[in-house]
Amino acid sequence: MPEEKYVAVVTKPVAAPQPGEAAFFDVDNTLMRGASLFHVARKMHQRGAFTMAQAAGFAWKQFKFVARGENMDDVHAVRDSALTLAAGITVDDIKALGEEVYDEMIASRIWPGAKALAEQHLRVGRRVWLVTATPIEVATVISTRLGLTGALGTVGEISEGMYTGRLVGDILHGSAKAVAVQAVADAEDLDLRRCWAYSDSYNDIPLLTLVGHPVAINPDARLRRHARDNNWPVYDFRSGRRAATFGLKAATAGGAVYGLWKGFARIRGPRI
C-alpha cells in the first residue's frame, strides 16, 4: 500500500472489479459545497475550542472559498489554527468530531451530481478514492458514508493516543495529491491512463494530468480555461447545469458516463 500517512481504505467496489481502473475525487467544492476543513473548525468552535472572533474569520474564509475557489493562504491559516487547537485531543474525540461534522454540516452539502458520478464508477466495478487536504478522519467518514473505496487525506501526528499539533508529512494538496495517487496506482496495479480524476481547482492540475480522464467540477476560472484549452469535460453543479463540451478524451477507449442524475438536466453523456 502507499504511504500510510495518507491512506484509509474503507470498502470494495459493488460490481466485478475493472482491473487497472479507478476514479479519484477531490472533496472541497468538488464532491461537496464549500470546504470541509472549515466545517471542522466550526464544530471545534461549537465545542468551545476558540473565540467568536476566530470563528468569524473561519466563516469569512469559507464564504470566499465558495464564491471564488481555493485560496491556499486561507486553507493554511485554518489548518494551522486547527492543528494548534487539536494538540492534546484524543484520537477517539477527533473521530467522533468527524462523524458529527459529516452528519450536521457535510451530508447536506454533497453535490448530487458528483455523488452520482462516484456511484456510477462503483456500479461498473471501479474503485473510488477521495483525495483531499482535509483531515484523514473527516475524509474517511465521508468515504465510508458514501460507500467508496477509501480516502487519502492530511494526517496529524499522534503520540500516546493524542494529537501533537504537528502533521505527518505535509498537507495533502497540489502536487502532493499526484504523488499519493501514483503510490496508490503502484500498490493497486492501476493503469492511470484508464483512470479518472475530478477536481474544482487549478492547484490540482498535477493530479488531473496524471490520469487519462481528467474532469473539472465547479472549476475556478483558471481550471475552466485549462479544461477548455485541453478539451476536458466540465461540470458546474453550482447552477444546476452542466457546462461542458465533451472532447476527444471523453469519447475514447471505454468512454464515460458523466451525466444522468436526479435533479439535473436529462443529458446523456458517452457510455461507460
Side-chain angles (χ1 to χ4, degrees), residues 145-164:
R145 295 298 187 88
L146 296 178
L148 309 182
T149 306
L152 310 176
T154 299
V155 177
E157 183 183 71
I158 298 169
S159 176
E160 298 181 353
M162 293 186 289
Y163 291 90
T164 66

Side-chain angles (χ1 to χ4, degrees), residues 38-102:
F38 297 142
H39 295 301
V40 173
R42 176 182 168 190
K43 174 56 68 173
M44 292 178 74
H45 165 65
Q46 290 179 357
R47 292 187 171 189
F50 48 83
T51 67
M52 181 62 72
Q54 289 172 309
F58 293 148
W60 174 241
K61 291 179 176 65
Q62 166 76 338
F63 171 79
K64 289 194 296 180
F65 183 82
V66 172
R68 300 188 311 190
E70 186 175 73
N71 179 298
M72 284 314 297
D73 289 340
D74 290 342
V75 172
H76 285 149
V78 175
R79 176 207 63 188
D80 293 342
S81 297
L83 282 170
T84 299
L85 295 165
I89 297 178
T90 68
V91 174
D92 288 342
D93 283 344
I94 291 293
K95 289 179 178 178
L97 183 144
E99 296 282 351
E100 291 179 20
V101 167
Y102 184 87

Side-chain angles (χ1 to χ4, degrees), residues 33-258:
R33 174 168 51 87
S36 51
L37 184 59
F38 297 142
H39 295 301
V40 173
R42 176 182 168 190
K43 174 56 68 173
M44 292 178 74
H45 165 65
Q46 290 179 357
R47 292 187 171 189
F50 48 83
T51 67
M52 181 62 72
Q54 289 172 309
F58 293 148
W60 174 241
K61 291 179 176 65
Q62 166 76 338
F63 171 79
K64 289 194 296 180
F65 183 82
V66 172
R68 300 188 311 190
E70 186 175 73
N71 179 298
M72 284 314 297
D73 289 340
D74 290 342
V75 172
H76 285 149
V78 175
R79 176 207 63 188
D80 293 342
S81 297
L83 282 170
T84 299
L85 295 165
I89 297 178
T90 68
V91 174
D92 288 342
D93 283 344
I94 291 293
K95 289 179 178 178
L97 183 144
E99 296 282 351
E100 291 179 20
V101 167
Y102 184 87
D103 289 336
E104 298 175 18
M105 302 171 186
I106 293 178
S108 62
R109 290 174 170 84
I110 298 292
W111 297 109
K115 181 173 179 283
L117 291 171
E119 290 172 344
Q120 178 62 21
H121 285 294
L122 289 173
R123 277 195 293 271
V124 300
R126 293 193 186 96
R127 285 159 283 187
V128 178
W129 294 78
L130 301 184
V131 188
T132 175
T134 204
I136 189 63
E137 293 81 8
V138 179
T140 300
V141 170
I142 299 171
S143 182
T144 302
R145 295 298 187 88
L146 296 178
L148 309 182
T149 306
L152 310 176
T154 299
V155 177
E157 183 183 71
I158 298 169
S159 176
E160 298 181 353
M162 293 186 289
Y163 291 90
T164 66
R166 295 185 294 271
L167 290 179
V168 177
D170 200 359
I171 188 169
L172 190 60
H173 175 262
S175 60
K177 288 185 179 180
V179 172
V181 166
Q182 182 65 64
V184 170
D186 293 342
E188 300 289 331
D189 197 25
L190 300 177
D191 180 354
L192 289 171
R193 294 169 299 178
R194 295 163 54 202
C195 291
W196 279 254
Y198 300 83
S199 179
D200 70 296
S201 174
Y202 184 83
N203 292 318
D204 285 343
I205 289 291
L207 168 62
L208 292 166
T209 56
L210 187 66
V211 301
H213 301 285
V215 182
I217 292 182
N218 306 324
D220 59 32
R222 288 193 298 168
L223 179 57
R224 187 180 292 277
R225 287 194 297 269
H226 189 90
R228 180 191 62 216
D229 293 344
N230 289 274
N231 213 21
W232 292 354
V234 177
Y235 284 89
D236 197 329
F237 301 132
R238 292 167 295 192
S239 59
R241 63 182 175 85
R242 187 185 70 170
T245 51
F246 287 100
L248 295 177
K249 285 185 180 292
T252 57
V257 169
Y258 294 104

